[in-house]
Amino acid sequence: MPEADHKPGSEAASGAIEIAKERMQERLGWTAVDVFLEKYAALEPHVQAFVYEKELPERIALEMQRLETKGIPPESRSPLYGVPVGIKDLLHVNGMPTHAGSALPPEALTAAEGSLVAHIRNQGGIVAGKTATEEFAYRGPFATRNPHHPAHTPGGSSAGSAAAVAAGMCPLAVGTQTLRSVTAPASFCGVAGYKPSYGRVPLDGVLLLSPTMDTVGFFTPELDSMNVFAAELVPDWTAGEMARPPVLGIPRGIYMEFMSPEVKSDYEAQVSKLERSGLTVKRLDMPWKDDFIAGDAMLRLVEGEMARIHERWSDIYADSYGIPVKEAISRGRLVPDAELADYAAEQLRLRKDLDWLMVQEGIDLWVSPAQGGTAPLLEEGRTGWPGMTAVWTFAGNPTITLPVSAIQGLPIGFQCIGRFGQDEQMLAFTAKVLELLENKSCQ
């Protein structure tokens, strides 16, 4: 993981990060641990973003004492120092059980924490708690509520992480995405959600769902703080620069039909505003087939890999699984190894073809709605849609969701997608997009 004294690659980029840090401190000054505990006591009974922990205040007080005994001077402290961080209950944390939203015994699931959690703690971050998730990040009931709209879902499966940030309990939370599990909660809860390029953040210490799709992601209230924390959390980070305005790409075909009329109208208004502001927007044929992204291939990949991961538990604890997960494992067992190998080859091909298309057409960012609709009512039982997200996760491209719009009072995120491996540049270009979308003088 990056060291505390990591410096971006250029003076201009370093200056941008310092400005973002100052803004973050101004906006997020309430995130001291004592204030977190106050907010937790007041809000958690209603939001239920965290896995219940009987002695949470005592554990956090002990973590703070240990941190203070290190005597790290203020000028040497990482931006993570003293920050309460929500950790999705798929990531192992030493001294805390892993439930993964399931009824399986935690002693069967819990393992040693990985390099990401260890890095957060080493840099002074305080584990605020394990955040709630759907069963094994696949599907199943959970108690978390959308902080701003309690009758609506916060999204899944990183529900607790997004809700903790949206409720103001944490300025940073960690989630995972397999098909839509960072993007959907960020969109529904009105926060920023960043899914790095596949493999940029190590998956050690994560209870996996689909190893070729799973990606650790992050939630913050807005883009400024995401820029600061990404530089601390993503290995080998070198801040990107925006030497020119970004060129935007919009996929042609069925992809743009994965949204409601209301979302489509809102999105087209946003694109028109960006074009009036001087950005070039290109509408292009994509290197995928419509029947691939509209079909069940990506779900078969996830369920096939899921079945193989759960071979060690699914028979022993068969009665402890929820019905949706149990049925998914059963379907996954029927997916041949050869089919999984074909999907893996297709992932690499699509990643290469998307990169080639972006270079050939000069595309810096693909843009789309983050979700096909706003947060559904809890009674509908839906926690999101994969249509706008799954193909980017399949290809491994980095994505960022911006909280810039609402429809009938419900947030809807604006999604920017970058080139594989160029997360820093994606965030730099996204800052310009956000500036123009928030510009009140260009309506």
Side-chain angles (χ1 to χ4, degrees), residues 278-414:
L279 296 191
T280 299
V281 177
K282 296 184 178 181
R283 292 158 177 83
L284 299 170
D285 294 328
M286 302 302 290
W288 61 59
K289 295 180 180 179
D290 282 355
D291 59 357
F292 173 76
I293 64 171
D296 65 353
M298 288 179 277
L299 183 60
R300 284 179 63 82
L301 167 60
V302 170
E303 292 182 346
E305 293 192 328
M306 181 184 184
R308 285 150 177 82
I309 287 172
H310 283 263
E311 279 181 338
R312 52 183 163 162
W313 301 309
S314 55
D315 290 332
I316 300 172
Y317 303 109
D319 294 338
S320 297
Y321 283 88
I323 291 174
V325 172
K326 187 182 295 186
E327 291 178 346
I329 292 171
S330 296
R331 289 191 298 269
R333 286 172 172 169
L334 301 178
V335 179
D337 290 343
E339 185 176 342
L340 295 180
D342 288 343
Y343 290 141
E346 176 62 16
Q347 282 181 297
L348 296 176
R349 183 202 66 78
L350 180 57
R351 185 179 302 166
K352 180 179 179 181
D353 288 351
L354 280 169
D355 192 71
W356 180 88
L357 180 61
M358 294 182 80
V359 171
Q360 288 295 111
E361 295 290 342
I363 301 298
D364 299 303
L365 298 172
W366 303 104
V367 293
S368 80
Q371 281 287 276
T374 54
L377 290 164
L378 290 168
E379 61 198 43
E380 296 177 20
R382 177 187 287 274
T383 58
W385 296 270
M388 314 303 300
T389 63
V391 69
W392 308 114
T393 317
F394 180 81
N397 290 58
T399 69
I400 179 78
T401 299
L402 304 174
V404 296
S405 189
I407 298 173
Q408 297 181 350
L410 294 170
I412 183 72
F414 187 90

Side-chain angles (χ1 to χ4, degrees), residues 94-422:
N94 288 346
M96 303 178 73
T98 300
H99 297 274
S102 78
L104 272 68
E107 56 268 23
L109 303 177
T110 306
E113 69 185 27
S115 54
L116 173 64
V117 173
H119 175 72
I120 290 171
R121 301 176 95 172
N122 289 338
Q123 297 303 303
I126 303 298
V127 176
K130 289 291 201 79
T131 56
T133 178
E134 292 178 277
E135 185 176 351
F136 292 111
Y138 181 81
R139 192 178 303 159
F142 56 92
T144 309
R145 296 294 180 261
N146 190 312
H148 305 304
H149 306 279
H152 294 259
T153 180
S157 64
S158 301
S161 292
V165 171
M169 288 188 277
C170 298
L172 172 66
V174 180
T176 64
Q177 178 155 310
T178 306
L179 293 171
R180 54 169 168 79
S181 298
V182 168
T183 307
S187 183
F188 294 162
C189 290
V191 297
Y194 163 44
K195 183 203 78 68
S197 294
Y198 177 79
R200 276 297 300 262
V201 178
L203 286 171
D204 60 307
V206 180
L207 205 166
L208 300 175
L209 170 62
S210 173
T212 61
M213 296 277 278
D214 291 340
T215 307
V216 171
F218 308 103
F219 299 92
T220 60
E222 29 53 28
L223 185 61
D224 278 343
S225 48
M226 187 67 78
N227 276 314
V228 172
F229 288 130
E232 297 296 316
L233 296 168
V234 179
D236 303 319
W237 189 269
T238 303
E241 296 184 60
M242 195 197 71
R244 54 175 174 74
V247 176
L248 309 181
I250 295 177
R252 286 197 185 116
I254 200 171
Y255 178 86
M256 296 310 297
E257 302 305 317
F258 293 144
M259 66 185 85
S260 70
E262 296 80 9
V263 170
K264 194 168 191 175
S265 176
D266 184 71
Y267 169 69
E268 288 175 348
Q270 291 169 324
V271 172
S272 294
K273 184 175 183 179
L274 293 171
E275 289 181 304
R276 291 196 305 273
S277 299
L279 296 191
T280 299
V281 177
K282 296 184 178 181
R283 292 158 177 83
L284 299 170
D285 294 328
M286 302 302 290
W288 61 59
K289 295 180 180 179
D290 282 355
D291 59 357
F292 173 76
I293 64 171
D296 65 353
M298 288 179 277
L299 183 60
R300 284 179 63 82
L301 167 60
V302 170
E303 292 182 346
E305 293 192 328
M306 181 184 184
R308 285 150 177 82
I309 287 172
H310 283 263
E311 279 181 338
R312 52 183 163 162
W313 301 309
S314 55
D315 290 332
I316 300 172
Y317 303 109
D319 294 338
S320 297
Y321 283 88
I323 291 174
V325 172
K326 187 182 295 186
E327 291 178 346
I329 292 171
S330 296
R331 289 191 298 269
R333 286 172 172 169
L334 301 178
V335 179
D337 290 343
E339 185 176 342
L340 295 180
D342 288 343
Y343 290 141
E346 176 62 16
Q347 282 181 297
L348 296 176
R349 183 202 66 78
L350 180 57
R351 185 179 302 166
K352 180 179 179 181
D353 288 351
L354 280 169
D355 192 71
W356 180 88
L357 180 61
M358 294 182 80
V359 171
Q360 288 295 111
E361 295 290 342
I363 301 298
D364 299 303
L365 298 172
W366 303 104
V367 293
S368 80
Q371 281 287 276
T374 54
L377 290 164
L378 290 168
E379 61 198 43
E380 296 177 20
R382 177 187 287 274
T383 58
W385 296 270
M388 314 303 300
T389 63
V391 69
W392 308 114
T393 317
F394 180 81
N397 290 58
T399 69
I400 179 78
T401 299
L402 304 174
V404 296
S405 189
I407 298 173
Q408 297 181 350
L410 294 170
I412 183 72
F414 187 90
Q415 180 180 214
C416 297
I417 303 100
R419 285 179 63 187
F420 175 77
Q422 297 195 10

